[in-house]
Amino acid sequence: MMETPLPCLLLLLAALCLRPGLGLYTVNAVYGDTIVMPCSQGVPTDLMFGKWKYEPENNSPVFIAFRSETKKKVQYDDVAEYKGRLSLSENYTLSIKNARISDERRFVCMLVTEDNVYEEPTVVKVYKQPSQPEIIHPADFLETEKLKMLGECIARDSYPDGNITWYKNGNILQPVEGAVVMSLQKVVNQSTGLFTTTSSLQFMPTKKDANAQFACSVTYYGPSGQEKIPSEPVVFDVHYPTEKVTIKVLSQRNTIKEGDNITLKCSGNGNPPPQEFLFYTPGESEGIRSSDTYIMTDVRRNATGEYKCSLIDRSMEDSATITVHYLDLSLTPSGEVIKQIGEALPVSCNISSSRNATVFWIKDNTRMQTSPSFSSLQYQDAGNYICETTLQEVEGLKKRKTLTLIVEGKPKIRMTKKTGANKSKTIVCHVEGFPKPAVQWTTTGSGSIINQTEETNYVNGKFSSKIVISPEENVTLTCIAENQLERTVTSMNVSAISIPENDEPNDGNREKVNDQAKLIVGIVVGLLLAAMVAGIIYWVYVKKSKPLPRTVSHFLNPPSNSYSPNLCPQSDVNGKSEKAAAQNFQTLVRTPSKHVNKDLGNIEENKKLEENNHKPEA
């Protein structure tokens, strides 16, 4: 006798559900599992043997298992469908392995004693869960206004048979005449007794059904009651005609300027969308057949206008307006301009644009506050001028033009001098002109060229050249400035006297210097004449008073040597008066005479030096 292990028996008992029905016990079994049927009467003490049988419909009972209580022996009847599948335990519980649909019948447990026969019937129910339902033969696409086979939902190998339900976006689909049509079909496998359930769905979608999810589920009965298994959702492409055409302007920026590339894209809201369109440019009545895009490169301002696109059959169209922004700048004059100092130069920067533009000027990388205006050009006006304009609303639209102004001038010279310590004198030659003049120093006496000079930086057409000398005699220094336009020469007299001297002007101021010299000479001569008149009057006065003293006679006729105050020894009052008068007269005469002689010498020296001055040469 084969015995079922206790752990396995407990597991099978947990999988079965015993419930009374019409005086019978019902055992629910799962297809393929082991059926366990206890003999619920209990084992009598005087039991002789027990037997199990099943009762086919309209046929005699068929015994399948026997157990002798006295001999402790188990026998199984030769029944083909149960061969090798039966097991009878000591408590007369019958187990049937690998439950089949054919095992769903009425079994009877018989216990026989010497006095009586006990029977306990049991009804077996077998259940088989179907496979997960799936949608087969799905449609490639659905079309609006057309009833079309969407697909079939199939659930295989179930027992008992199941039922199929269709869903759209999670909601149950109910049959609608002409729009939702469902048909159900069930097929039994003759060898296994299992059912395959199939439901087909015909569906007429609307535009709203685009991207809708369709699914199905199978409902069946299992050991624990009714259960449901859903399928995976499927999305179908819904085709519908175009109802609206839309044109879009594709550009890298929000605004379009000259030189940009523009792409027009036309689309229809149908599914599938139209693949070809007609594009119309401004002023053209004939459309250009193209795909859904039309490209324009390097657009100009004349591309501004209304653009249209339509379906090939021209049943519907859409339009868009494009504005191509532009910015023109003209600068007069422009480029490199050469002008002479003092000349006038009118400058104009004119703007033409699709919108209001902002204009500003830049000179030598510095932004100007006002526009340049030249009524009399100066050297500091030279430089690089940029007129720049932008359209703030249009990204990247900016124009600029350049004026390179060159202000030329002949060399101009102004010389100054200053006396320093140790008889040194600093002579500065202030030079103006463009191109920058080359400066050369010479001296009148030797005519040699002086190389030891210092120059300042050349700024705005001006610079200076400086020399420091300590002359031993009066000299004339000449400053020569020369550029491509002219050669200019100016000289300055430099005295060897170490007294402080102010800056000596030249050329135009030379007459003023000469007038000052003449005024000084006149003053000195006047002082001399006044002294002589005073002396004569005093002499006449003394002569009328008394004979002329020797002292006065000696004073009026002095010897060749220098004057001596001890020539008069008289000590009287008159003598003292005469001596004092003589001394005062001598002092009065000698004091102005000394200065006059020196100034006259300087005047003569200046006159000789001026004769050697060089006039400016062109």
Side-chain angles (χ1 to χ4, degrees), residues 558-578:
S560 60
N561 56 354
S562 61
Y563 168 78
S564 174
N566 296 323
L567 291 178
C568 184
Q570 296 181 6
S571 60
D572 58 351
V573 176
N574 293 334
K576 292 180 181 180
S577 300
E578 292 177 357

Side-chain angles (χ1 to χ4, degrees), residues 538 542 546-552 555 563 568 570 572-584:
Y538 181 76
V542 173
K546 60 172 58 179
L548 184 66
R550 182 177 177 272
T551 304
V552 175
F555 172 75
Y563 168 78
C568 184
Q570 296 181 6
D572 58 351
V573 176
N574 293 334
K576 292 180 181 180
S577 300
E578 292 177 357
K579 183 179 181 180
Q583 290 179 350
N584 291 336

Side-chain angles (χ1 to χ4, degrees), residues 52 96 100 111 119 161 176 226 257 292 337 380 409 439 465 551 555 582 593 601:
W52 278 90
I96 305 175
R100 302 173 181 175
L111 298 178
E119 289 188 356
D161 59 335
V176 177
Q226 191 179 54
K257 68 180 187 306
D292 60 346
V337 176
Q380 58 266 29
V439 175
S465 177
T551 304
F555 172 75
S593 176

